[in-house]
Amino acid sequence: MNDQRTESKTQIEFLAPLAEVDPELAGLITDELRRQRQTVELIASENFASRAVLEAASSILTNKYAEGYPQARYYGGCEVVDEVESLAIERCKSLFGAEHVNVQPHSGSSANQAVYFADLALGDSVLAMKLDHGGHLSHGLKVNFSGRFYHFHNYGLDRETGRLDYDEIERQAKELRPKLIVAGASAYPRQIDFARFADIARGVGARLMVDMAHIAGLVAAGLHPDPVAPGDYVTTTTHKTLAGPRSGVIICKEQLAKGIDKAIFPGLQGGPLMHIIAAKAACFRLAGTDEFRDRQQQTIDNAARLAQCLQDGGINLVSGGTDNHLMLADLTNIGVTGIEAENRLEEVGITVNKNSVPYDDQPPTVTSGIRLGTPAVTTRGFREAEMEQVGEIILAALSPHATAAEIKLLRQKTSDLLAGFPLYPHL
Ligand SMILES: *Cc1c(COP(=O)(O)O)cnc(C)c1O
């Protein structure tokens, strides 16, 4: 074999599309696109990234090593990616009114890990929300790194109101005197008073970390009380209401910046994902537009309408409703468990997740509730009228009397509804 032929064969493979090189994998991606198109996506932590974000995320920036930070790298050839990262940082700062931003965390959990790593010594005390009341794994679950390395104590929701009880949190903080207080949740349907959390933290000499993973889009749009001024640290994912790539960000006060940057690199991570940082830059630009703000308002309006429909149909919602993008349905009184409801809704083409409700008697693999959110369907174009149809389908599917024939009919209704809202028509 001569060298020239070998080289050109390599070149052909290098330039061939995925569908040719790996039809098996390409087929799976097509299957997933079809699934996303043909189901009503109500998982509260999901969204559809825009075409611009997808393009940046799949760009050639994936090729570049850039350990370090702009103008202080451990690799050559970083002049362009320096600009990309600086653009992401500046846009994020102006979007949230932040003093300092680190755009390198690979995920929300990595962002939280970096704050703990920067701020705490092993075994230090932290006060955070209970997982089964709406907190997150990285807020001290026993088998998570957070629960293994640090001493997490939990506050929960009030049994009567299903809401945070700030006086009780203050009492716990005074008793525990933690080094750090964590505010923020994965399944809390109400606004959180971050200014009150900051007062509580200041009163006991603790720092405040706000994890705004779920509500970052609402915050960017000015539709949720601001966590950035009161929080010493604010962490977030970028793929939930913010609608960016699957990733994370840390915002902090200037005097904490050095510690955070060192914790991310070289503390926890090696090279940053420059293609994902570029996608975050695109996401922050889009999140500053009027269209984005309107969409976040519609997300809240859609959640309110869906909540009303479900309640009118006899379903109990934790805290009696919602004022953000999600709601938590407690199905105890209708005699369906969370896992049963998740499966039943999947059969009619609606995707949700089972979720513990506060003071749940069922184990986390079963649960008594489901969490429903409107970010993804709102991005897709649903408004109040569509939410009413979705609500009716959910109520009918969860009815104990639903027959197989009715379920089939409901699946058809879902398909008909979705047909009016094409997803990624360019793909
Ligand atoms: C989703 C979420 C995270 C974690 O995000 P990953 O990117 O999945 O690691 C962290 N905190 C809260 C409150 C979340 O809801």
Side-chain angles (χ1 to χ4, degrees):
M1 239 207 286
N2 71 38
D3 282 355
Q4 223 177 338
R5 266 180 46 204
T6 315
E7 191 186 299
S8 68
K9 182 153 184 283
T10 313
Q11 198 63 14
I12 287 167
E13 262 179 22
F14 183 72
L15 293 175
L18 182 65
E20 259 170 49
V21 175
D22 190 345
E24 188 183 6
L25 177 61
L28 290 173
I29 295 173
T30 305
D31 288 350
E32 173 59 12
L33 175 61
R34 191 174 306 124
R35 190 197 66 79
Q36 293 186 15
R37 282 177 173 160
Q38 294 177 352
T39 51
V40 169
E41 186 51 74
L42 293 183
I43 292 179
S45 49
E46 291 192 11
N47 210 329
F48 297 114
S50 59
R51 181 175 178 172
V53 165
L54 293 181
E55 265 178 39
S58 66
S59 70
I60 49 83
L61 294 174
T62 192
N63 298 332
K64 190 69 199 99
Y65 243 116
E67 282 180 0
Y69 290 98
Q71 272 76 55
R73 304 285 190 186
Y74 292 84
Y75 285 83
C78 287
E79 62 274 13
V80 179
V81 291
D82 273 6
E83 286 190 55
V84 171
E85 184 165 348
S86 298
L87 199 57
I89 291 169
E90 290 312 314
R91 285 179 180 171
C92 186
K93 275 187 179 174
S94 93
L95 185 63
F96 291 110
E99 289 182 21
H100 180 77
V101 166
N102 188 309
V103 293
Q104 293 192 4
H106 300 329
S107 69
S109 288
S110 308
N112 291 347
Q113 189 181 13
V115 171
Y116 304 152
F117 193 53
D119 203 68
L120 303 172
L122 292 181
D124 273 352
S125 289
V126 186
L127 183 60
M129 192 162 169
K130 246 193 180 79
L131 179 65
D132 57 5
H133 284 204
H136 186 260
L137 309 174
S138 61
H139 297 181
L141 181 72
K142 281 282 171 279
V143 296
N144 184 263
F145 79 92
S146 53
R148 298 243 330 240
F149 296 170
Y150 310 103
H151 235 93
F152 271 80
H153 296 254
N154 296 134
Y155 57 86
L157 299 180
D158 182 76
R159 201 185 263 275
E160 290 289 301
T161 63
R163 293 183 187 235
L164 291 167
D165 175 349
Y166 296 96
D167 292 337
E168 174 58 19
I169 296 169
E170 182 166 33
R171 194 196 60 72
Q172 282 181 273
K174 281 180 171 158
E175 193 178 293
L176 179 68
R177 301 201 72 83
K179 187 108 181 284
L180 185 72
I181 295 179
V182 178
S186 297
Y188 187 59
R190 298 296 181 175
Q191 291 188 345
I192 300 177
D193 187 347
F194 297 121
R196 181 75 201 276
F197 263 108
D199 280 344
I200 294 171
R202 217 168 299 123
V204 299
R207 283 211 251 264
L208 175 65
M209 173 182 123
V210 175
D211 180 344
M212 65 167 180
H214 259 265
I215 55 169
L218 308 181
V219 170
L223 299 172
H224 188 287
D226 173 44
V228 174
D232 295 297
Y233 305 99
V234 178
T235 59
T236 186
T237 57
T238 48
H239 49 274
K240 297 180 184 175
T241 46
L242 207 49
R246 183 161 298 282
S247 199
V249 162
I250 304 170
I251 292 168
C252 68
K253 296 291 185 270
E254 193 59 55
Q255 75 266 23
L256 301 168
K258 266 213 176 88
I260 286 297
D261 288 352
K262 268 175 61 186
I264 285 288
F265 177 87
L268 294 166
Q269 295 183 177
L273 312 177
M274 289 313 311
H275 54 309
I276 300 300
I277 290 175
K280 282 183 255 194
C283 148
F284 299 142
R285 182 186 178 114
L286 289 167
T289 60
D290 290 345
E291 290 74 15
F292 183 86
R293 206 212 74 91
D294 292 349
R295 178 142 59 82
Q296 298 298 309
Q297 182 63 58
Q298 189 66 52
T299 301
I300 293 173
D301 295 346
N302 282 350
R305 184 62 66 91
L306 179 60
Q308 194 59 54
C309 289
L310 297 181
Q311 286 176 306
D312 290 348
I315 289 186
N316 285 331
L317 299 183
V318 173
S319 84
T322 172
D323 41 37
N324 59 22
H325 63 296
L326 68 82
M327 65 213 73
L328 195 53
D330 181 344
L331 305 171
T332 312
N333 71 324
I334 63 167
V336 179
T337 65
I339 183 72
E340 283 166 354
E342 180 184 309
N343 291 336
R344 196 95 62 85
L345 292 176
E346 186 148 4
E347 282 181 53
V348 301
I350 295 177
T351 317
V352 302
N353 61 285
K354 64 179 182 292
N355 210 104
S356 297
V357 297
Y359 308 97
D360 206 324
D361 293 327
Q362 301 282 1
T365 47
V366 179
T367 80
S368 300
I370 50 173
R371 186 183 64 164
L372 309 101
T374 52
V377 288
T378 307
T379 298
R380 194 155 178 178
F382 283 20
R383 299 170 71 89
E384 286 88 341
E386 288 76 31
M387 295 324 298
E388 282 179 12
Q389 293 190 51
V390 171
E392 281 167 21
I393 297 172
I394 292 173
L395 290 168
L398 294 185
S399 154
H401 315 295
T403 63
E406 278 163 347
I407 294 286
K408 209 170 152 216
L409 210 71
L410 292 171
R411 182 66 185 93
Q412 188 56 48
K413 273 193 179 167
T414 307
S415 299
D416 294 346
L417 175 61
L418 287 166
F421 299 87
L423 180 66
Y424 299 125
H426 67 290
L427 291 179

